Amino acid sequence: MTNPIHILIVDDHPFIIQAYRNALDKYSQQGYEFVVTQANNCKTGYESITEAKIPFDVAFFDISMPEYAEKGIYSGEDLAALIKIEMLDCKIILLTMHTELLKINNIIKNINPRGLIIKNDLTFDELIFAFDKIINNESYYSQTVIKLVGQAQYNNIELDAFDKQILFHLSKGVKTKDLPQYIPLSLSAIEKRKLNIREILEVKGGTDIDLINEAKTKGVI
């Protein structure tokens, strides 16, 4: 009898969680034993990671979920970054609706997940195939991801954590002058970063709304 495989599933869509469980049931019939922890938002996902008694072997994260702003967790990507620190050997699988090249490149660069699946590519067979590769220490990227990473338009675009925080808070309606209350940077440093972000995202002039819209279009937020 092999040791049980500890699985974390964090997704706010019950049908996706059920699809994961159906895939695990298939492997249970082959002699695998799974211990599954479920969470449905960033807060419960954060608590599942930080309060775990035994490290997770595999973790599934949806990218877009209700945030946990108190702990600076705004997405499944942030949870994946956390589990990389807390549980070095955990195999991370990310599921997303994003098909923007910049967003996909940032996920790969910052998280380097063992699996990355675009939701529109997801079928039960696709999930089984992905999980089979991952539990056998291989990687799996769905077909749309493979097509996207073959493109180079935004390969050299880089936004760091502070840049993304600036964009996030602006998207929530926070004024630039108030950003130092949310981000540990001076107002002048934030303004310089905003200018740099505009250059990176190729936003010439316009308002903060224009900047946020372009960031969303390119999958940064």
Side-chain angles (χ1 to χ4, degrees), residues 101 105 148-157:
L101 180 56
N105 277 347
L148 287 168
V149 297
Q151 303 174 39
Q153 183 180 1
Y154 300 122
N155 280 353
N156 295 321
I157 294 180

Side-chain angles (χ1 to χ4, degrees), residues 15-216:
F15 69 93
I16 295 291
I17 291 179
Q18 188 59 52
Y20 289 143
R21 283 197 163 275
N22 290 342
L24 296 178
D25 286 344
K26 176 180 173 63
Y27 279 91
S28 296
Q29 296 168 12
Q30 299 176 19
Y32 289 94
E33 180 183 354
F34 300 105
V35 177
V36 179
T37 299
Q38 291 181 202
N40 59 10
N41 54 47
C42 288
K43 182 177 187 295
T44 54
Y46 176 90
E47 292 167 348
S48 297
I49 295 168
T50 57
E51 297 174 8
K53 304 299 183 185
I54 298 175
F56 294 108
D57 300 298
V58 181
F60 296 87
F61 298 110
D62 188 5
I63 292 288
S64 301
M65 289 184 294
E67 66 191 44
Y68 187 24
E70 293 89 337
K71 296 294 184 180
I73 304 294
Y74 301 103
S75 67
E77 191 175 350
D78 290 334
L79 288 174
L82 173 66
I83 208 168
K84 283 187 67 176
I85 296 171
E86 299 287 331
M87 304 172 187
L88 292 175
D89 296 325
C90 182
K91 298 178 178 68
I92 297 169
I93 300 97
L94 292 172
L95 188 67
T96 181
M97 283 294 295
H98 287 287
T99 56
E100 303 86 3
L101 180 56
L102 175 57
K103 181 66 174 180
I104 297 303
N105 277 347
N106 281 338
I107 290 171
I108 294 171
K109 179 177 182 295
N110 297 329
I111 305 299
N112 191 25
R114 187 62 63 92
L116 180 55
I117 302 172
I118 303 299
K119 286 186 178 181
N120 287 341
D121 294 337
L122 187 64
T123 64
F124 184 71
D125 289 340
E126 181 94 359
L127 185 57
I128 291 290
F129 185 62
F131 191 66
D132 186 64
K133 281 185 167 291
I134 288 160
I135 63 172
N136 286 293
N137 294 313
E138 298 180 48
S139 297
Y140 180 78
Y141 287 0
S142 68
Q143 287 302 309
T144 300
V145 176
I146 292 171
K147 291 177 183 177
L148 287 168
V149 297
Q151 303 174 39
Q153 183 180 1
Y154 300 122
N155 280 353
N156 295 321
I157 294 180
E158 293 186 7
L159 297 177
D160 65 17
F162 285 131
D163 293 333
K164 292 175 184 177
Q165 287 182 46
I166 289 169
L167 289 170
F168 174 80
H169 290 296
L170 287 174
S171 74
K172 296 298 183 181
V174 177
K175 303 294 186 184
T176 299
K177 65 183 179 63
D178 296 323
L179 286 175
Q181 299 177 34
Y182 301 88
I183 303 168
L185 296 173
S186 67
L187 180 57
S188 62
I190 288 171
E191 289 173 336
K192 289 177 182 177
R193 281 178 172 270
K194 278 185 64 179
L195 289 172
N196 186 56
I197 294 168
R198 283 181 174 278
E199 290 183 7
I200 290 174
L201 299 182
E202 300 178 339
V203 179
K204 308 298 183 184
T207 66
D208 286 348
I209 293 176
D210 296 319
L211 177 61
I212 294 306
N213 287 339
E214 187 65 19
K216 288 180 178 178

